[in-house]
Amino acid sequence: MRTFGTDIPKALTIAGSDCGGGAGIQADLKTFQELDVYGMSVLTAVTAQNTLGVRGVYPLTIEAIVEQLTAIESDLAPQAVKTGMLFSGEIIAAVASCIRRFGWSNLVVDPVMIAKGGTGLLQEEAVQSLKEHLLPLARIVTPNVPEAEKLTGKTLNSLADRKEAAKQIADMGAQHVVIKGGHLEEADAATDLIYDGRDFYELAGPRVYTAHTHGTGCTFAAAITAELAAGKTPLAAVKTAKAFIQAAIEFPLSIGSGHGPTNHWAYRKYRQSAGVNK
Ligand code: PXL
C-alpha cells in the first residue's frame, strides 16, 4: 500500500462518459482508485448506454473541454495522462494542443474508435487527426488489432504483420506501441505485442471465453496510466495492467443483461486473498 500524503500520484483521463459504468471515464476512475492513484477526469463526450448498446453520443463543446483541462493544469498537475474517446478531429486537435502546451509527457493514448456494438466513438475523418496530432505526444499507444489496422491502413493477419504495424505506428511518433491480442480470436491466449522502438516483447494471458468484456480496453490503458503515474517504467506498467485486466475478465460480475462490464475489484481482491502485497 502506498502512503497517502501530498505525494500521492495523480492520474488524469480525458475521455467519454459511459453512464453504465463499465467503460470510459468510469472504468478509468475505478481502475485508478484500485491502483492507489488519485483519479481525475476531463469529459469529452457523454454517451447514453447500457450493457445492451449505445443509444446516443453527445460531444461537449471545445470550450468546455479546454476549460476542464485548464482547471486541472492550473492546480492539479497529473503525473500521467490517458486519452480515450475523443470523438472528432476538432476535439483531438484541441486536446493535443493543451497536452503539448502543459508539457504532459507521460501520456497513454488509447485510440478508441468503435464501441462493441459498432457505434462510432471516433469520426472516420478524425483518424488522420489522431495520427498527426496525438500519436507524436504518446509515451504509450494501445491499439487493438482493428484499431492498428485503421491506423496503418493494412490488414494484420500474422505476428509478422503486427510487428510491422507496431513499427509503422512508432514511426508516427509514439514511443511505445502495445498491439493488444484480445481480438485475435483464433488463439487460446490473448497475446499482446509490445514494441519500445527497439525490441519486441510478447505478453500472453489465457483467453477467457465470456461476453463480459465491456470496457476492457479502457481499463487496460487506465491501469498502465496509473502505474506510470506511480513512477513505473512502461514495460512494468504494461505487465501490471495485463494482470489487472486478466483478473477483471476472469472473475466476471453479473451486471445487466447484455455485454457486461469487467470486474474492477478483482485484481485487488484476488491478490489480497492470495496474500500478495504491493
Ligand atoms: O471501450 C471503448 C469506449 C470508450 N469510451 C466510452 C465507451 C466505450 C465503449 O463503449 O462507451 C465512453
Side-chain angles (χ1 to χ4, degrees):
M1 182 60 93
R2 296 183 185 110
T3 53
F4 294 96
T6 50
D7 60 348
I8 184 83
K10 298 189 288 303
L12 169 67
T13 172
I14 305 169
S17 163
D18 167 7
C19 64
I25 60 146
Q26 288 81 359
D28 296 343
L29 292 173
K30 290 173 190 181
T31 304
F32 293 163
Q33 185 77 14
E34 288 298 318
L35 290 170
D36 296 335
V37 164
Y38 180 80
M40 306 181 290
S41 58
V42 163
L43 277 183
T44 56
V46 171
T47 68
Q49 63 175 300
N50 54 29
T51 65
L52 299 172
V54 179
R55 302 160 69 100
V57 175
Y58 309 92
L60 268 64
T61 62
I62 298 295
E63 183 191 356
I65 296 167
V66 171
E67 273 303 292
Q68 292 175 81
L69 290 165
T70 308
I72 297 288
E73 192 272 335
S74 57
D75 187 39
L76 298 162
Q79 277 71 45
V81 177
K82 164 188 183 274
T83 62
M85 174 188 178
L86 296 172
F87 189 65
S88 70
E90 202 189 3
I91 293 177
I92 290 170
V95 165
S97 159
C98 285
I99 290 173
R100 191 182 297 108
R101 204 148 31 91
F102 300 160
W104 290 345
S105 56
N106 221 4
L107 176 68
V108 179
V109 173
D110 181 18
V112 172
M113 294 182 191
I114 51 171
K116 277 216 170 53
T119 304
L121 300 177
L122 182 72
Q123 293 170 340
E124 193 74 27
E125 65 274 17
V127 174
Q128 188 51 36
S129 185
L130 191 69
K131 284 158 62 168
E132 205 173 299
H133 297 292
L134 207 54
L135 291 193
L137 304 176
R139 189 161 188 213
I140 307 184
V141 60
T142 61
N144 57 32
V145 168
E147 289 160 355
E149 290 183 330
K150 269 267 190 285
L151 290 172
T152 59
K154 293 187 179 138
T155 306
L156 308 179
N157 291 319
S158 63
L159 177 61
D161 289 348
R162 280 180 280 136
K163 285 187 170 176
E164 205 45 55
K167 281 186 172 169
Q168 203 181 325
I169 295 168
D171 285 343
M172 296 170 194
Q175 291 169 39
H176 297 76
V177 181
V178 182
I179 300 184
K180 297 173 289 189
H183 286 69
L184 301 167
E185 282 171 6
E186 70 283 5
D188 286 338
T191 304
D192 301 338
L193 176 68
I194 303 163
Y195 179 60
D196 66 3
R198 210 186 65 184
D199 297 313
F200 289 100
Y201 305 87
E202 286 178 62
L203 271 185
R207 178 168 298 280
V208 182
Y209 295 90
T210 170
H212 304 306
T213 55
H214 174 59
T216 303
C218 306
T219 300
F220 177 69
I224 297 174
T225 310
E227 291 294 291
L228 287 184
K232 302 292 168 56
T233 64
L235 199 57
V238 172
K239 281 185 184 163
T240 299
K242 180 80 172 165
F244 190 97
I245 196 60
Q246 187 76 36
I249 296 171
E250 261 176 28
F251 301 98
L253 301 169
S254 188
I255 304 253
S257 47
H259 287 281
T262 69
N263 180 352
H264 294 98
W265 287 295
Y267 177 75
R268 179 167 50 89
K269 282 197 174 168
Y270 292 96
R271 275 168 73 86
Q272 270 171 0
S273 60
V276 182
N277 278 318
K278 276 205 171 183

